[in-house]
Amino acid sequence: MKAYAVSLLGWVLVPLVALAQQSAPADLNTITGITVSGGTVEINGSKKPDFNSFTMTDPPRLVIDVSGAVFQGVEAELPVANGTVTGIRTAMYGTESASIARILIGYEREVETDIQSAGNKLVVKVLGAGGGTAVAANTPPAQQQGTAEIASATNTPAGANAQDAARAAASDRDAQDKAAKAAADAARADRENQEKAAAEAAARAKEDAESERKKQEEARLASQRQDEERRASEEAAIAERKRQEEDARVAAKRAEDERRATEQAAADAKRQQAEQAQASAKNTAEERRAAAQAAAEAKRAEAQAAAQAKREQAEQARTAAADAKRQQAEEAQAAAQARREEQQQARVAAAEAKRQQAAEARERRQERTVASRESTARPSQGSAAREPRESGGGATSSRRKTMTLVGFQQQPDSSRVFVRTNEPVRYNVSDAGNQVVLELENTRVVESNNTLPLDTHFFPSAVSRVEAVPGAGHTVRVVIQLKQGVRYQTRQEGGLITLDFPRPGR
């Protein structure tokens, strides 16, 4: 029975998943020793034990599971066989962070135990006396009956006759046969009980093993889920960190681009202000020179007109005197009529001269008013002494022409400035530095919209500004301001004059 109990104890513990004994983490209860003294078993650990226990039968055994514990320096199998304890087996299962240390204590018979915790020690005691009388108590009743009959036969009186002795011997043989049969039946029943107990123990062991396997599988799946969740959390953290780094990099690049754009815009604005101030100063100086020249020309024209009027009057007077002398022979009435006609002609001539002077004065005042009103925005008109680079128009009528339109047109490879008049005009084109001036002879501007400047600096063109202004001596000046000096082509078709400027850098 002892050998059978020990082998069954080992068979029950084999299915458990044993964990290798290794250095235990600091937060686990480390079981370092198990001692046996009679029916008392002491389990020594590093912490106060947290345990569960249950009993099993066939063979009798006590199972103790200590939670959060591992073995260190404890053998997996401790054979005892001291009459009460047959042996002790140890095993571990669960995960590293949720380890369970199992101690299985096998007994010779069914016993009652008391389990007490004393500090870091777990003490298991067997209650009551030992079962030494169990063998006599387990003797089959049939065998006891046979023994009594034998004793009775031994005490038969010596004076019994042979027939009584034969009957006693036959009865003794029958009793022995019955006892032998009862012993055989008892042995067979005991063997069947043992086989049944072994089968039940094997079934329970199989159930326990299956339960342990399921627990181990659940623990493994839980550990796998924890590992997967941890990996997913780490991957999500890495992805979030990368996204934050990318956002920070994009924000820094955007801020740097905005800073550069702001600096570039400030530099462009400063440069444009400087260019505008320079152009304004230049335009102001040129306007002053043009105004002075126009005033001088106006004075000269007035003086010439006055001298011409005087000469015409003198000539008329001389002619009248000569006519008077030639007609002295005519009648007094004809002479008087002639004098009246001369006087009338003189008055008409004087009135015509005065009217012409007033018209010219009004035109000069209008030109000065327009020049004064647009002096702040008007580009340079060039010097009057500038020599024309080219001229055109050929033979035209003596009628005063009207400029009806000035415009700008951006073309694929060039930019075009065009001027339209009501009929062909004579013109001159001159240039100096970054300025080209188209002067239309005997021409006027009727609509004030045609004197508004055209700002073209934002086009990919050499032309930055175009403006038409009335000039001196019944002329119209179309001033073309360039970003840089380039060669250009002038063409006239009827009342349309065009100037084509190639793109810069071409």
Side-chain angles (χ1 to χ4, degrees):
M1 284 293 292
K2 290 182 180 179
Y4 174 75
V6 171
S7 64
L8 185 59
L9 178 64
W11 184 83
V12 170
L13 289 177
V14 168
L16 298 178
V17 178
L19 302 176
Q21 296 186 11
Q22 54 188 356
S23 297
D27 58 344
L28 294 180
N29 186 1
T30 304
I31 299 174
T32 57
I34 300 176
T35 59
V36 181
S37 176
T40 301
V41 178
E42 294 184 355
I43 303 169
N44 298 311
S46 62
K47 298 173 63 176
K48 184 177 180 179
D50 179 11
F51 66 94
N52 293 314
S53 65
F54 60 92
T55 60
M56 302 178 69
T57 59
D58 295 330
R61 53 205 184 278
L62 173 65
V63 180
I64 302 174
D65 287 339
V66 182
S67 301
V70 295
F71 294 107
Q72 185 173 10
V74 178
E75 298 294 333
E77 183 175 354
L78 301 175
V80 179
N82 61 3
T84 301
V85 179
T86 59
I88 297 175
R89 294 291 296 271
T90 62
M92 292 187 297
Y93 64 93
T95 63
E96 183 177 354
S97 59
S99 175
I100 296 176
R102 170 166 288 187
I103 302 100
L104 192 149
I105 305 173
Y107 293 100
E108 292 283 357
R109 58 190 174 280
E110 300 287 343
V111 296
E112 292 185 8
T113 58
D114 178 47
I115 305 175
Q116 297 291 334
S117 174
N120 296 341
K121 183 184 296 184
L122 193 64
V123 180
V124 182
K125 294 181 179 181
V126 176
L127 301 177
T133 60
V135 176
N138 290 333
T139 302
Q143 185 176 358
Q144 294 178 5
Q145 183 181 359
T147 304
E149 291 177 356
I150 293 172
S152 177
T154 305
N155 294 325
T156 303
N161 53 32
Q163 185 176 1
D164 293 334
R167 282 196 302 270
S171 177
D172 190 24
R173 283 195 301 274
D174 292 338
Q176 290 179 356
D177 291 340
K178 291 179 180 179
K181 183 178 180 181
D185 292 340
R188 184 171 60 255
D190 188 23
R191 186 171 60 255
E192 290 177 354
N193 291 334
Q194 290 179 358
E195 291 176 353
K196 182 179 179 181
E200 291 176 354
R204 284 192 295 273
K206 185 175 180 181
E207 291 177 358
D208 293 342
E210 183 65 20
S211 176
E212 287 297 328
R213 186 189 65 76
K214 290 181 179 179
K215 290 180 180 179
Q216 293 295 330
E217 181 65 19
E218 291 175 356
R220 186 186 66 78
L221 293 176
S223 176
Q224 183 177 358
R225 284 194 299 271
Q226 291 177 355
D227 292 341
E228 292 176 353
E229 292 174 356
R230 178 180 56 78
R231 285 195 297 270
S233 177
E234 292 175 353
E235 292 174 356
I238 293 172
E240 179 65 18
R241 186 170 63 254
K242 289 182 178 179
R243 185 189 65 77
Q244 293 177 354
E245 292 175 353
E246 180 64 19
D247 291 345
R249 186 186 65 78
V250 171
K253 185 177 184 301
R254 186 183 300 111
E256 179 65 18
D257 293 341
E258 291 176 354
R259 183 186 64 79
R260 290 179 180 176
T262 302
E263 292 177 354
Q264 183 65 30
D268 292 342
K270 186 176 181 181
R271 185 174 60 255
Q272 186 175 5
Q273 290 176 357
E275 291 176 354
Q276 290 177 352
Q278 183 179 3
S280 177
K282 185 176 179 181
N283 292 339
T284 301
E286 291 181 354
E287 287 171 359
R288 288 177 180 175
R289 288 195 297 270
Q293 181 181 358
E297 290 179 354
K299 288 181 180 180
R300 286 195 299 271
E302 290 176 358
Q304 290 176 0
Q308 181 65 25
K310 290 180 179 180
R311 285 195 298 271
E312 289 179 355
Q313 290 176 359
E315 183 67 25
Q316 289 175 358
R318 287 193 298 270
T319 302
D323 292 341
K325 290 179 180 180
R326 285 194 302 269
Q327 296 178 357
Q328 288 178 357
E330 296 181 355
E331 298 178 354
Q333 186 178 1
Q337 182 66 31
R339 285 194 300 272
R340 286 194 297 271
E341 290 178 357
E342 289 175 0
Q343 293 174 358
Q344 182 64 27
Q345 289 177 355
R347 285 195 298 271
V348 170
E352 178 64 22
K354 188 176 181 180
R355 185 190 62 77
Q356 185 174 0
Q357 291 175 358
E360 291 177 353
R362 283 196 303 274
E363 186 173 351
R364 286 193 298 273
R365 284 196 301 272
Q366 182 180 1
E367 291 175 355
R368 284 196 297 271
T369 301
V370 172
S372 175
R373 185 172 63 250
E374 300 180 354
S375 60
T376 58
R378 188 169 59 197
S380 175
Q381 298 178 6
S383 174
R386 179 185 297 163
E387 291 296 327
R389 193 173 72 86
E390 64 178 290
S391 61
T396 60
S397 67
S398 59
R399 291 187 300 273
R400 193 169 183 184
K401 286 74 174 174
T402 301
M403 189 192 77
T404 60
L405 181 64
V406 59
F408 172 84
Q409 184 179 16
Q410 180 66 38
Q411 297 181 347
D413 297 324
S414 63
S415 302
R416 171 171 291 181
V417 177
F418 59 92
V419 177
R420 189 179 300 277
T421 58
N422 61 339
E423 61 180 279
V425 300
R426 289 187 58 80
Y427 67 92
N428 295 317
V429 180
S430 60
D431 55 52
N434 293 343
Q435 192 178 78
V436 177
V437 179
L438 170 65
E439 189 172 53
L440 307 178
E441 299 178 0
N442 194 23
T443 307
R444 62 184 175 181
V445 180
V446 176
E447 296 182 2
S448 59
N449 286 341
N450 289 329
T451 62
L452 297 177
L454 302 177
D455 186 3
T456 62
H457 76 277
F458 46 85
F459 287 98
S461 167
V463 179
S464 64
R465 184 184 177 94
V466 180
E467 185 177 13
V469 295
H474 306 295
T475 62
V476 175
R477 292 165 54 86
V478 179
V479 181
I480 304 171
Q481 193 71 32
L482 303 178
K483 299 176 183 177
Q484 64 184 56
V486 295
R487 299 178 64 86
Y488 56 91
Q489 294 181 355
T490 307
R491 183 180 305 170
Q492 182 180 30
E493 293 180 3
L496 179 66
I497 301 174
T498 59
L499 290 86
D500 293 332
F501 298 86
R503 283 192 179 182
R506 292 181 176 270

